[in-house]
């Protein structure tokens, strides 16, 4: 029996979206191309004194008696070349200001030239060198509330492609990702997928099956037997890697921003994933959550699901089919191979609980407390660069489902990680029609050669639950300032002036991306607009403003709006407005007045 009507709206919303969401509700971001569109320069000499003072105030204060050189030696935060140049600019301005003040206070007949000769302003070229906190070849990115690995996977792929451009291996900057999640258990999934990438050594003839298993673990509450076996193998190697300081995983992942007890919790949760005594009855828990959601309408749940799909999803995205959404709402299986690329003579049964989605108690009882209404469709399937599969049909929907779009995207990124070559986009051909269409590979691909995913120069720093502690480390210089940041819906409340001032870099190329509530089914249009307005207000209070050009770039790969014949009706205007609503917003620091 449901107690739906005994709960308030907030409790009802939490039941539908969950308290431990394991996927994001916005497309993956390629931070390489995003930062490439921003000018990498600091403020010019014409910057106002107010901007300089604001930058100075954000730094660690140095006692007045201390000289600039000694301050550089004793400061715990080291400086990059650009920061040193900015220090020169600040010192020159302060020196000129001090000189003019002394001249004004001098006797009327005394000129500025008659004042005692002042020592030259501090220059980084004359001071003893200090270790650099942010080298010129390092990029720092904050992911707050991303909930999954989508941004990492796409950015890794772009870095790998840039390294191997024109057949030559080009040096690329080291990318540091600082990953913060309000739910500590999500770091288990991040580590799992990183280990999965490191273990991805196979012939390209297996590429499509590996991609399908990836989607299986990522978004399905129930998995196939073959996927469950791979999960067990990856987790066993993951646990062993965490115990070995020299492992390839720990050369990429860092726990420096996480407390020991938090790391112990992560490792304790991972232990349950391979323990047979630890069980999670997701199928029963899913049914209970759906009954709680629908109450007396449960027997007519397919009609309710149809209503949610038609009035709350189709007008926001065309890259989703109703059978996919209905199957996921009823069973928790979002990426069913029978909807993506089935083969004749093969059966696809989803029976094994996906333990990576569950929280386990000390007794080994797993509980699923994730999303049951919105779905994992938008991280990998909301946009695609493959123009062949995103075109609309006569009824306005996509030619293929979200699973096909997600498979094409993940396959392209994984192919680039393994080979360093770009994936040639092509139309989707079903293996049901021709067995040769299964595991399509570009012409000329060598067969029988085992590849492994070659990760670029990256470092993933897992941040603990104490957000204020991380912000303080950024302010004190223990953690470098961020060149880019992403705030998911679970962390947009952290976009405060303090965070934007103490965490983000003062460079002109810095950019902040915020996730909107576009794909949240229970959110009304008014609430979604208010949410966007609130994000704009938070950014404005911190001295940032929305950049429409960058926001549009974040939505590349989106299908054109549904064409309208004749005069547009009010309903068509609402539909187009919903479709054009952004799922991501880009903000840049305001130019000085």
């Amino acid at each position: 029996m449901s107690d739906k009507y005994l709960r308030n709206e907030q409790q009802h919303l939490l039941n539908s979206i969950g308290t431990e969401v394991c996927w994001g509700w916005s497309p993956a971001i390629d931070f390489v191309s995003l930062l490439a569109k921003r000018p990498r320069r600091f403020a010019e000499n014409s910057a106002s004194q107010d901007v300089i003072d604001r930058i100075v105030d954000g730094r660690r204060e140095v006692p007045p008696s201390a000289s600039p050189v000694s301050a550089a030696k004793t400061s715990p935060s080291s400086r990059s070349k650009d920061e040193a140049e900015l220090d020169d600019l600040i010192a020159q301005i302060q020196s000129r200001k001090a000189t003019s003040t002394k001249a004004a206070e001098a006797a009327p007949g005394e000129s500025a030239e008659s004042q005692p000769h002042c020592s030259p302003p501090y220059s980084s070229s004359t001071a003893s060198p200090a270790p650099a906190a942010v080298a010129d070849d390092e990029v720092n990115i904050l992911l707050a509330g991303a909930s999954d690995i989508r941004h990492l996977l796409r950015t890794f792929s772009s870095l790998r492609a840039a390294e191997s451009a024109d057949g030559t291996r080009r040096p690329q900057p080291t990318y540091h990702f600082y990953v913060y999640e309000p739910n500590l258990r999500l770091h288990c999934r991040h580590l799992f997928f990183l280990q999965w990438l490191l273990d991805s050594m196979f012939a390209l003839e297996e590429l499509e099956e590996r991609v399908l298993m990836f989607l299986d673990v990522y978004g399905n509450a129930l998995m196939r037997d073959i996927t469950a076996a791979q999960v067990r193998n990856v987790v066993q190697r993951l646990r062993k890697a965490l115990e070995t300081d020299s492992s390839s995983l720990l050369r990429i992942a860092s726990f420096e921003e996480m407390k020991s007890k938090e790391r112990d919790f992560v490792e304790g949760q991972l232990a349950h994933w391979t323990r047979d005594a630890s069980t999670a009855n997701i199928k029963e828990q899913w049914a209970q959550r759906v009954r709680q959601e629908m109450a007396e309408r449960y027997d007519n749940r397919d009609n309710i699901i149809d209503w949610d799909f038609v009035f709350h999803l189709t007008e926001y995205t065309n890259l989703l089919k109703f059978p996919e959404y209905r199957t996921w709402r009823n069973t928790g299986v979002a990426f069913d191979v029978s909807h993506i690329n089935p083969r004749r003579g093969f059966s696809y049964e989803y029976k094994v609980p996906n333990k990576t989605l569950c929280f386990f108690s000390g007794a080994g009882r797993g509980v699923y407390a994730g999303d049951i209404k919105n779905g994992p469709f938008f991280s990998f399937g909301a946009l695609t660069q493959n123009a062949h599969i995103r075109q609309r049909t006569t009824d306005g929907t996509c030619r293929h489902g979200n699973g096909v779009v997600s498979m094409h995207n993940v396959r392209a990124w994984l192919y680039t990680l393994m080979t360093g070559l770009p994936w040639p986009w092509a139309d989707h051909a079903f293996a049901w029609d021709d067995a040769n269409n299964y595991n399509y590979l570009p012409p000329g691909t060598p067969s029988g050669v085992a590849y492994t995913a070659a990760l670029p120069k990256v470092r993933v720093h897992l941040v603990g639950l104490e957000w204020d502690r991380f912000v303080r480390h950024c302010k004190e210089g223990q953690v470098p300032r961020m060149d880019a940041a992403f705030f998911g819906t679970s962390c947009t409340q952290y976009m405060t002036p303090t965070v934007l001032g103490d965490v983000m870099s003062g460079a002109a190329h810095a950019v902040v991306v915020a996730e909107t509530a576009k794909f949240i089914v229970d959110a009304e249009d008014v609430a979604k607009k208010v949410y966007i307005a609130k994000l704009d207000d938070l950014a404005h209070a911190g001295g940032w403003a929305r950049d429409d050009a960058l926001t549009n770039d974040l939505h590349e790969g989106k299908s054109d709006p549904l064409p309208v014949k004749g005069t547009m009706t009010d309903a068509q205007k609402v539909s187009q407005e919903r479709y054009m609503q952004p799922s991501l917003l880009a903000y840049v620091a305001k130019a000085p007045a």
Side-chain angles (χ1 to χ4, degrees), residues 27-29 31 143 146 148-156 486:
I29 300 174
F31 282 99
L143 301 177
D148 57 34
I149 200 177
R150 65 190 187 279
H151 303 311
L152 295 177
L153 179 58
R154 187 173 184 186
T155 305
F156 287 178
F486 169 84

Side-chain angles (χ1 to χ4, degrees), residues 64-90:
S65 59
S67 66
V69 176
S70 62
K73 291 181 179 179
T74 58
S75 175
S77 61
S78 50
R79 303 175 299 113
S80 68
K81 179 181 178 181
D82 289 331
E83 288 178 326
E85 294 174 356
L86 183 59
D87 285 341
D88 293 346
L89 173 61
I90 295 172

Side-chain angles (χ1 to χ4, degrees), residues 168-486:
T168 58
R169 194 169 184 85
R170 300 180 178 181
Q172 295 294 321
T174 301
Y175 273 62
H176 292 265
F177 294 89
Y178 291 83
V179 183
Y180 171 81
E181 299 290 353
N183 187 337
L184 195 61
R185 192 184 58 79
L186 292 180
H187 289 305
C188 301
R189 298 246 302 174
H190 298 330
L191 290 170
F192 170 83
F193 284 116
L194 286 176
Q195 185 66 42
W196 185 86
L197 289 175
L198 292 172
D199 290 344
S200 294
M201 183 175 181
F202 50 85
L204 292 179
E205 286 80 3
E206 308 172 51
L207 180 60
E208 182 168 323
E209 182 59 36
R210 293 299 180 112
V211 171
L212 293 174
M213 286 193 286
F214 175 92
L215 294 175
D216 215 354
V217 181
Y218 175 79
N220 291 344
L222 300 173
M223 302 183 298
R224 295 174 292 158
D225 291 335
I226 186 174
T227 305
Q230 191 200 34
V231 169
R232 177 182 289 268
N233 292 334
V234 173
V235 175
Q236 287 175 345
R237 288 192 291 271
L238 170 59
R239 294 182 61 194
K240 186 176 181 180
L242 292 176
E243 298 173 355
T244 307
D245 294 337
S246 60
S247 65
S248 56
L249 175 67
L250 292 184
R251 287 196 293 268
I252 296 176
S254 170
F255 292 89
E256 293 178 358
E257 288 300 314
M258 186 178 289
K259 293 183 177 180
S260 297
K261 63 179 181 180
E262 293 172 332
R263 177 173 176 174
D264 293 341
F265 172 83
V266 170
E267 295 181 359
Q269 289 293 304
L270 290 172
H272 291 289
W273 293 5
T274 58
R275 191 175 299 163
D276 293 334
S278 300
T279 59
N281 193 348
I282 296 184
K283 186 176 181 179
E284 180 181 344
Q285 295 172 12
W286 189 280
Q288 290 176 350
R289 293 271 303 281
V290 174
R291 284 181 178 273
Q292 170 65 39
E293 166 73 22
M294 298 187 178
E296 73 277 2
R297 303 179 300 170
Y298 180 76
D299 291 335
N300 299 319
R301 56 188 177 277
D302 284 348
N303 295 335
I304 304 302
I305 295 171
D306 188 11
W307 176 279
D308 289 338
F309 179 79
V310 172
F311 292 99
H312 298 285
L313 279 179
T314 54
E315 292 185 332
Y316 294 94
T317 177
N318 71 307
L319 301 180
L320 181 62
K321 291 287 190 181
F322 176 65
E324 294 176 304
Y325 184 67
R326 178 182 56 197
T327 300
W328 178 77
R329 285 284 297 269
N330 281 318
T331 65
V333 177
F335 303 107
D336 191 338
V337 180
S338 61
H339 292 158
I340 300 175
N341 198 17
R343 290 188 286 173
R344 294 182 184 272
F346 288 80
S347 60
Y348 307 97
E349 297 181 351
Y350 294 83
K351 297 181 178 180
V352 183
N354 187 352
K355 290 185 176 181
T356 70
L357 298 177
C358 298
F359 165 78
F360 285 89
S361 64
R365 181 179 180 274
V367 177
Y368 176 75
D371 179 17
I372 65 167
K373 200 164 187 178
N374 304 306
F377 305 105
F378 313 109
S379 296
F380 298 115
L383 301 174
T384 180
Q385 301 299 319
N386 190 349
H388 301 279
I389 64 174
R390 69 170 184 246
Q391 299 301 323
R392 295 177 181 268
T393 57
T394 54
D395 64 349
T397 61
C398 178
R399 291 178 56 197
H400 307 291
N402 186 274
V404 172
V405 176
S406 299
M407 186 198 72
H408 277 249
N409 285 337
V410 175
R411 180 176 61 182
W413 300 336
L414 185 58
Y415 176 84
T416 302
L417 269 179
M418 299 182 70
T419 65
L421 302 174
W423 175 267
W425 298 112
D427 199 359
H428 182 73
F430 286 98
W432 187 268
D433 301 327
D434 185 352
N436 294 326
N437 292 333
Y438 178 74
N439 196 52
Y440 165 81
L441 292 174
T445 301
S447 60
V449 179
Y451 288 85
T452 182
L455 297 186
K457 294 190 297 182
V458 294
R459 186 79 166 153
V460 180
H461 305 262
L462 303 180
V463 181
L465 291 176
E466 294 188 19
W467 172 258
D468 293 338
R469 176 173 175 264
F470 173 73
V471 175
R472 185 174 67 253
H473 286 178
C474 291
K475 183 177 182 179
E476 295 175 351
Q478 299 180 36
V479 175
R481 300 293 183 93
M482 301 296 140
D483 299 288
F486 169 84

